[in-house]
């Protein structure tokens, strides 16, 4: 628990506390840290008279709060359970939210309750996917997909591992990029959360409540379901993942979503999963080197395991699989040994 007394030299902390006290009409209220984003946004729980609330602090020069508010309202209009906003100051980047508790799905899910919790999560996901995407919502288009894929090349392979990729190796990556992008663009396009995973779901009445939705786009239908079951911080046996993907497919089809036939859907999920796995490995390296947040690197092996389970199924990705096996994983193992010693 973070101290409730902010550093008087921290102007943002003092501004945040003063705003919270005014919004609560509670001059004696204090704040403790509730959680923080991988980005610049942070969350603070109120301490004082009355029910606890959450203050979202989104510094306007770093994380504009307006996209979060627009997406929150869009999702709520579609029946999705989202946090309730009790007070707001868009110019300074402060929101007062309902307190949904201390535990996300990531804290409470286990082998025994996963089926029920994921069924409830799918109920929210299907509502999201049925929402008509507004014209101003970004598209998960080829340039965006390519920028994300290159995070793996630039931040993980080159910056983190120090690899000097040859022209031939860059060609193998470019070939894989083209194939993955073509597959993503060929999928039915729906509203995509982009981080629909246990850490961003909160047990709640009429829930789960959906968090961290501000980066939503119009994009591939299989993306969010794949993200839910192949999580960044929690792995499940492949047989259970297969069963959950089939469950999603059946429910999506019954709800009227434009899902393809089951085998095509599973291919779509595999391939958009490869795109996401590469992207997240790159993001975790960037969080370490650019933002000074090394803890995410501990989950990189999870994503290489995901890739190892999928890449052998697709001859079109044989070059990528070979590059990872011959160059990337040996360099990663060498770095790990050097770090330990």
């Amino acid at each position: 628990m973070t101290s409730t007394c902010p550093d008087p030299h921290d102007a943002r902390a003092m501004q945040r506390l003063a705003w919270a006290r005014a919004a609560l009409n509670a001059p004696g209220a204090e704040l403790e840290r509730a959680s923080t984003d991988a980005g610049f946004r942070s969350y603070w729980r109120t301490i004082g008279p009355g029910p606890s609330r959450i203050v979202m602090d989104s510094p306007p020069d770093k994380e504009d709060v307006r996209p979060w508010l627009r997406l929150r309202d869009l999702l709520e209009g579609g029946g999705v359970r989202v946090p309730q906003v009790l007070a707001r100051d868009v110019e300074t980047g402060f929101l007062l939210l309902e307190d949904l508790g201390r535990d996300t799905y990531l804290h409470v899910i286990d082998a025994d309750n996963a089926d029920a919790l994921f069924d409830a999560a799918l109920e929210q996901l299907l509502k999201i996917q049925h929402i008509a995407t507004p014209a101003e919502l970004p598209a998960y288009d080829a340039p965006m997909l390519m920028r994300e894929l290159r995070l793996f090349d630039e931040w993980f392979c080159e910056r983190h591992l120090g690899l000097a990729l040859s022209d031939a190796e860059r060609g193998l990556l470019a070939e894989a990029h083209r194939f993955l992008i073509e597959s993503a663009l060929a999928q039915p396009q729906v509203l995509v959360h982009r981080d629909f995973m246990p850490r961003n779901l909160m047990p709640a009445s009429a829930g789960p409540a959906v968090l961290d939705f501000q980066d939503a786009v119009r994009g591939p239908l299989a993306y969010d379901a794949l993200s839910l079951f192949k999580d960044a911080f929690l792995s499940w046996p492949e047989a259970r993942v297969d069963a959950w993907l089939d469950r999603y497919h059946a429910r999506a089809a019954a709800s009227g979503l434009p899902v393809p036939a089951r085998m095509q859907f599973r291919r779509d999920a595999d391939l958009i999963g490869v795109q996401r796995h590469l992207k997240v490995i790159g993001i975790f390296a960037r969080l370490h080197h650019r933002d000074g947040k090394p803890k995410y690197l501990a989950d990189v092996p999870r994503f290489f395991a995901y890739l190892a389970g999928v890449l052998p199924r697709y001859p079109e990705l044989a070059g990528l699989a070979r590059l990872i096996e011959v160059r990337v994983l040996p360099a990663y193992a060498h770095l790990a040994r050097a770090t330990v010693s």
Side-chain angles (χ1 to χ4, degrees), residues 17-30:
L17 180 59
W19 184 87
R21 286 172 170 174
L24 293 164
N25 193 24
E30 300 289 349

Side-chain angles (χ1 to χ4, degrees), residues 75 78-81 117-131 190-197 201 207-208 210 220-229 244-245 248-249 251-252 255 257 265:
L75 294 175
V80 181
R81 177 66 163 96
L117 290 180
F118 279 147
D119 258 0
L122 291 182
E123 190 70 28
Q124 298 299 314
L125 177 56
L126 294 176
K127 291 177 182 178
I128 291 172
Q129 294 181 323
H130 275 285
I131 296 172
V190 296
L191 182 60
V192 176
H193 179 289
R194 284 178 77 197
D195 249 342
F196 196 81
M197 58 185 186
L201 298 169
V210 180
L221 178 143
Y223 191 98
D224 281 341
L226 189 282
S227 302
L228 181 63
F229 303 132
W244 290 329
L245 284 170
Y248 163 78
H249 180 266
R251 291 186 64 179
S255 77
L257 284 169
F265 168 74

Side-chain angles (χ1 to χ4, degrees), residues 56-272:
M56 178 196 286
D57 180 351
S58 190
D61 60 330
K62 296 182 174 69
E63 294 257 6
D64 186 355
V65 75
R66 286 171 291 192
W68 188 94
L69 285 168
R70 285 195 295 269
L71 265 298
R72 195 214 77 88
D73 293 346
L74 178 69
L75 294 175
E76 185 177 58
V80 181
R81 177 66 163 96
V82 288
Q84 297 303 300
V85 178
L86 308 174
R88 68 184 71 192
D89 186 336
V90 172
E91 296 305 316
T92 57
F94 294 127
L95 301 179
L96 187 69
L97 309 176
E98 66 173 314
D99 187 352
L100 293 165
R102 297 176 182 270
D103 293 335
T104 70
Y105 259 37
L106 186 60
H107 296 103
V108 302
I109 199 167
D110 59 34
D112 294 326
N113 65 19
D115 288 339
L117 290 180
F118 279 147
D119 258 0
L122 291 182
E123 190 70 28
Q124 298 299 314
L125 177 56
L126 294 176
K127 291 177 182 178
I128 291 172
Q129 294 181 323
H130 275 285
I131 296 172
T133 53
E136 66 272 16
L137 197 72
Y140 219 159
D141 57 13
M144 182 183 290
L145 289 159
M146 181 63 80
R147 284 195 302 272
E148 291 186 345
L149 285 163
R150 285 179 174 159
L151 294 171
F152 175 77
D153 314 356
E154 296 167 5
W155 283 96
F156 188 78
C157 294
E158 296 175 355
R159 179 67 183 275
H160 189 61
L161 299 182
L163 292 176
L165 297 173
S166 67
D167 289 344
E169 289 168 338
R170 293 182 185 279
L172 291 175
L173 286 168
E175 182 180 339
H177 293 167
R178 284 193 296 271
F179 175 66
L180 293 170
I181 290 170
E182 288 171 1
S183 169
L185 297 179
Q187 287 193 40
Q189 305 290 294
V190 296
L191 182 60
V192 176
H193 179 289
R194 284 178 77 197
D195 249 342
F196 196 81
M197 58 185 186
R199 192 178 71 165
N200 291 327
L201 298 169
M202 296 284 293
S205 59
V210 180
L211 311 179
D212 204 21
F213 40 70
Q214 66 278 351
D215 294 324
V217 294
R218 176 177 173 81
L221 178 143
Y223 191 98
D224 281 341
L226 189 282
S227 302
L228 181 63
F229 303 132
K230 292 197 173 181
D231 181 27
F233 308 107
L234 183 66
S235 299
W236 299 97
E238 189 166 354
R240 295 199 78 174
V241 173
D242 289 345
W244 290 329
L245 284 170
D246 286 347
R247 173 67 172 154
Y248 163 78
H249 180 266
R251 291 186 64 179
S255 77
L257 284 169
V259 289
R262 176 179 167 277
M263 293 307 295
Q264 180 62 48
F265 168 74
R266 293 298 299 274
R267 176 184 173 87
D268 290 346
D270 278 351
L271 296 179
I272 200 59

Side-chain angles (χ1 to χ4, degrees), residues 12-23:
R12 184 67 180 180
M14 298 300 293
Q15 183 185 21
R16 178 173 59 236
L17 180 59
W19 184 87
R21 286 172 170 174

